[in-house]
Amino acid sequence: MPPRPGASGVPVDPADVPRSPSSRAATPATPATPAPLARRAARIRALLPGLALGGLGVAVAWGVHRGLPGVPMLTVAVVLGILAAHLPGTRGAVRGGGRAGLSFAGKRLMRLGVVLLGLKLSLDDVLGLGWASVAMVCGVVAATFFGTWWLGRRMGLHGDQPLLVATGYAICGASAIGAVSEVSDSDERDVATSVALVTLCGTLAIAVLPLLQHPLGLSDARFGRWVGASVHDVGQVVAAAQTAGPSALGEAVLVKLMRVALLAPLVAAVAVSVRARRARGAEQAQSAQEAQLGEEAGRTAPATRRPPLVPLFVLGFLAMVAVRSTDRLPSAALDTAATAQELLLAAALFGLGSAVHLPSLARTGGRVAALGLCAWVVVAGVGYAGVLLTM
C-alpha cells in the first residue's frame, strides 16, 4: 500500500504516525520473561545431581549402621564422601556436576541439623548435672579450645584449620565445625580436612577409651562422664559409653549435651572476633585509599560485610532448647526430630567428606595428624582430671 499524502502533500508512512493511547493499548504486549524465577529454577537444577548423590550416600551409611550398630552413621557418611571423591566411578560426578549440591549439603543442611540438635538438650538436664560438673565441662571446653587453637597456629597450619579443629574437639565434632565455619567464612577444604580429622579421632576413641576404664580405675558413672567430656560427636559418645552399661551411657549423654550447649556462645564469640578483624582490615584499607586518592575517595569506599553477632541457625538452636525445656513435645515428635537431625547431618558430612582431597591433605598430613593427636591427649587428660575432681 503506497504512503498516504500528509497535510503538506508530502507522503507520510503510516508507521511514522503517532498512535493514540487506545490504539497502543490494543496492541498485545510481549510477556516479560520471569528472569528471577528462571534463575532460581536453574540453581535448583544445578543442585539436584549433588543432592541425589548425597542422598544415596546417606542411604548406604544408614544401611551400614543398621548392619553394624556400633559404627555411627555420621562416621560412615564422612568416609563414604571421601571415597566418592577419589573412586574413578564417582570422582567425576563429585568434582563436576555434583559439586554445587554437595557444597549446599555441607553448609545449608548442616545448619538445619544444628538447629534440630537443640531438641536433645533441656535446661533441666543442665541443672541436673550440678554446678561443679557444669564448671568442669566449661573448663574442659576452654582448655581444649584455646590449647588446640594455639598449638595449631604454632605448628603452622594454614587458613582456619587451627580454629576449626579446636572447635570440633572442644564442642561436638563436625556439627560445631560446620557452625563456626559459617561465621568465619572458612575455605571448604579447610572445613573438610578438619571434619575428616575430628571424625577419625572420634572413631578411634570408640575403640580406645573402653579399654582404659579399668586400668584407670573408673567406675561406670565416672567412665560415662569422662567419655562425655572427651569424645567429640554425640553418636560417638553413645557408641563408646554404652560398653559400660546404662548408668555410664546416661552420664555420658548429659555431659556431652552440656558441651553442645556451649556451641551458641562459642559461635557468637567467633562472630564478634571476625567482625572486629574485618573492621580493622576495613579501616586499614580506608586509610590506604585516603592516602592515595584523597579524603573524598576514602569516604566513598564500600563498606565491608559483617557477619551477624549471633547467626540465625544458632538462634534456632537456642529456640529448640527452649522448646525442649517446656516438656510439651511428645516423645514421637522428639524421635522424629532426632532421626531428621541425624539424616541431615549425615548428608552434610557426606558433602564435606567429598571435598577432602587426599593428595593435598598428605602434604600437611603430618602436622594435621600431630595436632589431632595432641588435641586428643589434651581433651582426654583435662576431662579425666575434671571427672576425678567432681565425683
Side-chain angles (χ1 to χ4, degrees):
M1 177 179 177
R4 293 183 290 106
S8 61
V10 179
V12 177
D13 194 329
D16 296 333
V17 178
R19 290 175 294 173
S20 64
S22 58
S23 64
R24 286 198 299 267
T27 304
T30 303
T33 304
L37 293 179
R39 287 196 297 267
R40 187 175 303 172
R43 285 197 297 266
I44 292 175
R45 286 194 299 270
L47 296 177
L48 290 179
L51 292 177
L53 188 58
L56 179 60
V58 171
V60 175
W62 180 82
V64 172
H65 175 65
R66 292 282 294 180
L68 301 170
V71 180
M73 185 171 74
L74 301 185
T75 301
V76 179
V78 174
V79 174
L80 289 176
I82 296 174
L83 290 176
H86 294 85
L87 292 177
T90 56
R91 181 173 54 201
V94 167
R95 298 180 182 176
R99 187 67 260 155
L102 292 171
S103 297
F104 177 89
K107 293 183 178 181
R108 306 293 182 176
L109 299 188
M110 176 67 77
R111 294 180 186 179
L112 294 177
V114 170
V115 170
L116 292 180
L117 190 62
L119 289 176
K120 292 181 177 289
L121 179 68
S122 71
L123 295 178
D124 291 338
D125 294 335
V126 175
L127 296 177
L129 284 174
W131 291 111
S133 297
V134 171
M136 180 269 290
V137 171
C138 292
V140 170
V141 168
T144 303
F145 178 78
F146 289 108
T148 304
W149 192 6
W150 176 84
L151 185 60
R153 292 173 66 88
R154 294 284 294 178
M155 295 173 66
L157 294 182
H158 65 83
D160 288 334
Q161 286 184 2
L163 171 65
L164 298 176
V165 172
T167 301
Y169 273 84
I171 304 293
C172 54
S175 304
I177 291 174
V180 168
S181 68
E182 289 293 322
V183 297
S184 61
D185 241 353
S186 302
D187 181 76
E188 187 179 18
R189 290 194 176 183
D190 287 345
V191 178
T193 300
S194 304
V195 166
L197 175 66
V198 171
T199 303
L200 174 62
C201 292
T203 304
L204 293 176
I206 298 173
V208 174
L209 294 191
L211 300 177
L212 299 177
Q213 177 185 1
H214 297 297
L216 294 177
L218 295 174
S219 64
D220 289 348
R222 279 186 168 182
F223 174 73
R225 291 204 173 192
W226 184 44
V227 170
S230 306
V231 182
H232 321 314
D233 184 75
V234 176
Q236 295 166 345
V237 167
V238 172
Q242 56 87 27
T243 59
S247 63
L249 180 59
E251 295 287 340
V253 171
L254 283 178
V255 172
K256 179 61 193 174
L257 292 180
M258 177 58 204
R259 288 170 65 193
V260 172
L262 297 177
L263 175 63
L266 178 62
V267 172
V270 172
V272 171
S273 175
V274 171
R275 283 170 65 97
R277 186 171 68 245
R278 289 182 179 176
R280 289 194 298 270
E283 290 176 0
Q284 294 172 357
Q286 186 176 13
S287 299
Q289 191 173 23
E290 288 175 354
Q292 292 179 0
L293 304 177
E295 189 173 354
E296 182 179 355
R299 285 197 300 266
T300 59
T304 304
R305 183 180 65 87
R306 294 183 177 183
L309 287 179
V310 182
L312 185 61
F313 70 92
V314 175
L315 293 177
F317 169 84
L318 295 175
M320 293 299 101
V321 173
V323 170
R324 175 63 189 270
S325 301
T326 63
D327 289 331
R328 297 293 181 86
L329 291 179
S331 58
L334 292 175
D335 292 341
T336 301
T339 301
Q341 178 248 333
E342 192 167 16
L343 293 175
L344 287 169
L345 289 183
L349 293 181
F350 182 89
L352 290 175
S354 69
V356 174
H357 189 239
L358 291 180
S360 299
L361 182 61
R363 287 193 285 270
T364 57
R367 285 177 292 166
V368 172
L371 176 62
L373 179 61
C374 292
W376 197 15
V377 171
V378 169
V379 69
V382 175
Y384 177 70
V387 168
L388 293 183
L389 292 174
T390 56
M391 289 190 70

